Amino acid sequence: MDPFTLFFMLVSFLIFFTCWKLITTKTEKNLPPGPPKLPIIGNIHQFHTQSPHRALRKLARKYGPVMHLQLGQVSTIVISTPQLVQEMMKTHDLNFSDRPTNITSQIFFYNNQSVAWSPYGNYFRQIKKTVKLELLSATKVRSFSYIREDELKRVVKSVETCIGTPINFRTLASQTVNNLVCRATLGDVCKDRNILLDTMTLIMKTFSSFNVVNLYPTLQFLNIITGKKAKWLKIHKQLDGILETILEEHRIQEGSSQDHEDLVNVLLRLKDTGAFEFPISDNNIKAIILEMLIAGTSSSSMTIEWAFCELMRHPQVMQKVQSDIRATVKGTTITDSDIQNMHYLKLVVKETLRLHGVPILVPRQNQKDCNLLGYHIPAKTKLLINAWACGTDPDSWEDPGSFKPERFENSSISYLGADFELIPFGTGRRICPGINFAIGTVECILSNLLYHFDWNLPDGVNPQDIDMTEVTAISTLPKYPLQIVPISRPLVSYAPGGTLVEP
């Protein structure tokens, strides 16, 4: 028997023996109901699909809105209705404010020093407050209007060269969002922007790819013997070098006069002036920068692509939103004040977030045992909130599977975290602090593309032919990137309210 085969058999036996001991140990009593569990793997086979949020909703309809899954070694609770999310937030938000740690978040985010991954405590509260008030406040987001206007002018000129030709809309959306987010975060001094973006893509693929150790945490040695940890450390070393260069470039420019502060400038200024209650290091700043870049790009470009998919499938909605936009804009450039008056566009964005926002929120973990609806939840249980299931809950929404922006016409429901039927940005203490930035980016890009161009499907493709099948990888996106044709805007005008005025 060759050494490799012997080694493989030995490792397989160790894995099997360890997992069997873990799965067959005495389980907690009075856990929430859930599907039957297989030996060793538990319910992994029911969760690992291309659309896990749909699989979880299907299971929840059978086993209840609070459901227990055994994902390998990891005991997991899934919540699937707005009513139960509200109950959990009212009673257990503080207890469930921790994050389950993993080796990739520890490596790439400098031992979990970002907002999303840091443990709940004084550091988390300080950093979140700083991000919310200093980095991503409504005032700060408005200060980036010159970046949005500049980048959208470039995008419009680029699309004009493709008039009448099908384009890959996913590429257009992601490149536009990447440029906006990078300039707002890093300014114009990052000479390694393309390398940084490529490295970010590798990191996002790492987080979204299957890793058996995330399901069997006691088998950490597998990340070492398979070479995964060494690979991740190599990627992080390259990333750290780029981020270190960015900090140095900003420090060199610190004495020069600047009209605008990017997010790196703000963090360095706060650090140097001692504005933080707890002193922070350059590694803390790097972790926050990386999170700004990753969180600000993938989810926004995802939302924009889904919005266009729905608009191309619903020509009447497309016509109505374009009329709303074109009746609002007074000049050739769309301003922030124009966007604030685009009433129907905001309904389209809300409806897109309801159907196609982040489907499963970043996991939480409880610090101590608790009782939820009479069920015992042991400490260190992983909590998944199925935001997509809440957004399509038939008890909360009429015709929940249909794209109908008008449903928000006379509705006070918002995505700010207080209405549990619509929580694409999360809720409670762990709500995303970047809502203003994300919505500003999405509305700016959508309004410009819809104002300056009409859009057709390629010859022979009908609206009902658009494949809306979801695939969850880096983000939850359409299985096939949207292909559409930009058309020069007709020379017509619109009266207030979107009524067409003949030329």
Side-chain angles (χ1 to χ4, degrees):
M1 184 178 295
D2 65 89
F4 178 79
T5 303
L6 182 62
F7 174 76
F8 179 78
M9 291 178 62
L10 177 61
V11 170
S12 299
F13 172 76
L14 287 172
I15 294 173
F16 179 85
F17 179 76
T18 303
C19 295
W20 178 257
K21 292 293 288 182
L22 291 167
I23 296 298
T24 55
T25 54
K26 185 178 179 181
T27 59
E28 295 284 346
K29 294 182 179 180
N30 199 32
L31 288 169
K37 300 161 180 58
L38 295 177
I40 301 177
I41 67 172
N43 302 109
I44 294 175
H45 62 296
Q46 293 163 313
F47 181 79
H48 194 65
T49 67
Q50 288 188 329
S51 299
H53 54 287
R54 291 183 180 272
L56 289 178
R57 187 183 69 172
K58 183 177 180 180
L59 290 172
R61 287 178 171 175
K62 182 175 182 179
Y63 295 100
V66 55
M67 176 175 62
H68 178 259
L69 300 177
Q70 187 68 39
L71 303 179
Q73 237 182 305
V74 182
S75 182
T76 305
I77 299 297
V78 183
I79 293 179
S80 303
T81 65
Q83 296 78 15
L84 197 51
V85 175
Q86 181 176 12
E87 174 64 23
M88 197 275 292
M89 287 294 114
K90 182 174 67 176
T91 310
H92 302 293
D93 184 32
L94 178 60
N95 189 26
F96 276 96
S97 290
D98 263 345
R99 295 289 193 209
T101 186
N102 59 65
I103 186 66
T104 47
S105 66
Q106 291 172 358
I107 289 175
F108 292 119
F109 290 106
Y110 297 85
N111 197 27
N112 293 327
Q113 295 302 296
S114 67
V115 179
W117 292 103
S118 60
Y120 185 78
N122 292 333
Y123 174 79
F124 166 79
R125 286 190 290 269
Q126 170 182 265
I127 294 302
K128 183 177 179 181
K129 180 180 178 181
T130 300
V131 169
K132 187 175 180 179
L133 298 181
E134 299 282 353
L135 301 186
L136 299 175
S137 66
T139 301
K140 191 63 183 176
V141 171
R142 284 195 297 270
S143 76
F144 295 136
S145 61
Y146 75 100
I147 294 177
R148 293 190 287 271
E149 291 179 9
D150 188 35
E151 288 298 328
L152 266 299
K153 286 179 182 178
R154 297 185 191 184
V155 172
V156 169
K157 289 181 179 179
S158 174
V159 175
E160 284 175 345
T161 65
C162 303
I163 293 294
T165 305
I167 64 172
N168 184 317
F169 189 79
R170 180 173 301 172
T171 300
L172 174 67
S174 61
Q175 288 179 349
T176 305
V177 172
N178 286 345
N179 289 338
L180 283 171
V181 173
C182 282
R183 286 189 62 186
T185 306
L186 310 174
D188 296 317
V189 298
C190 182
K191 61 184 179 182
D192 296 321
R193 180 187 292 183
N194 291 335
I195 299 175
L196 177 61
L197 290 173
D198 290 341
T199 306
M200 283 167 46
T201 301
L202 284 176
I203 292 172
M204 289 188 285
K205 286 181 178 178
T206 298
F207 272 92
S208 61
S209 62
F210 177 76
N211 182 11
V212 68
V213 177
N214 290 338
L215 303 175
Y216 300 94
T218 58
L219 304 182
Q220 293 291 332
F221 66 90
L222 289 179
N223 283 331
I224 298 175
I225 65 176
T226 59
K228 286 185 176 181
K229 186 174 181 180
K231 178 183 176 181
W232 297 334
L233 289 170
K234 182 179 179 180
I235 295 172
H236 179 260
K237 183 178 180 180
Q238 180 185 27
L239 171 70
D240 183 69
I242 296 173
L243 294 176
E244 188 64 40
T245 299
I246 289 170
L247 295 188
E248 290 305 312
E249 289 173 339
H250 279 72
R251 287 190 171 107
I252 291 172
Q253 292 189 353
E254 204 170 325
S256 61
S257 59
Q258 300 181 57
D259 295 329
H260 304 281
E261 272 191 320
D262 57 53
L263 301 187
V264 176
N265 290 137
V266 176
L267 286 168
L268 289 175
R269 171 172 55 79
L270 294 173
K271 176 178 181 290
D272 294 341
T273 57
F276 291 106
E277 180 182 354
F278 303 95
I280 66 170
S281 66
D282 282 359
N283 282 350
N284 297 117
I285 293 178
K286 293 174 197 173
I288 297 169
I289 292 171
L290 180 61
E291 185 168 86
M292 294 295 128
L293 293 171
I294 291 178
T297 53
S298 59
S299 59
S300 294
S301 58
M302 173 187 78
T303 303
I304 292 166
E305 182 173 359
W306 279 117
F308 254 81
C309 285
E310 292 288 6
L311 292 173
M312 298 307 295
R313 290 179 71 237
H314 300 87
Q316 290 181 329
V317 178
M318 170 70 88
Q319 182 180 11
K320 187 173 180 179
V321 71
Q322 285 186 306
S323 299
D324 172 50
I325 293 169
R326 292 170 182 176
T328 303
V329 179
K330 305 306 179 185
T332 58
T333 302
I334 298 177
T335 65
D336 285 351
S337 59
D338 288 333
I339 294 175
Q340 293 309 309
N341 293 319
M342 294 176 185
H343 175 69
Y344 194 68
L345 173 67
K346 295 182 179 299
L347 305 188
V348 168
V349 171
K350 271 190 180 181
E351 183 71 340
T352 302
L353 290 172
R354 184 185 71 83
L355 284 174
H356 305 292
V358 175
I360 300 175
L361 303 183
V362 180
R364 296 187 179 208
Q365 180 176 276
N366 57 330
Q367 301 168 350
K368 56 186 179 180
D369 291 9
C370 65
N371 186 286
L372 183 61
L373 293 186
Y375 298 112
H376 177 66
I377 312 297
K380 304 298 182 183
T381 297
K382 187 176 183 178
L383 171 71
L384 298 179
I385 297 177
N386 192 339
W388 176 79
C390 293
T392 56
D393 177 45
D395 294 331
S396 304
W397 303 95
E398 182 180 348
D399 194 10
S402 298
F403 184 78
K404 295 180 177 180
E406 287 78 8
R407 74 173 73 245
F408 291 103
E409 188 73 55
N410 298 306
S411 171
S412 62
I413 293 176
S414 78
Y415 40 65
L416 299 179
D419 299 299
F420 302 100
E421 306 95 324
L422 186 64
I423 49 172
F425 297 100
T427 183
R429 288 171 173 81
R430 284 289 184 173
I431 191 171
C432 173
I435 297 176
N436 290 325
F437 189 93
I439 293 298
T441 300
V442 169
E443 291 180 344
C444 176
I445 294 174
L446 285 176
S447 61
N448 274 272
L449 293 178
L450 293 170
Y451 175 75
H452 289 285
F453 305 99
D454 283 343
W455 299 88
N456 287 343
L457 292 169
D459 290 341
V461 179
N462 297 313
Q464 61 269 25
D465 295 331
I466 297 176
D467 191 338
M468 300 293 280
T469 304
E470 303 157 324
V471 176
T472 298
I474 293 176
S475 301
T476 299
L477 291 165
K479 185 176 182 179
Y480 303 104
L482 180 64
Q483 303 286 331
I484 50 177
V485 181
I487 304 297
S488 295
R489 173 188 168 180
L491 298 177
V492 297
S493 59
Y494 296 86
T499 304
L500 178 65
V501 178
E502 295 295 338

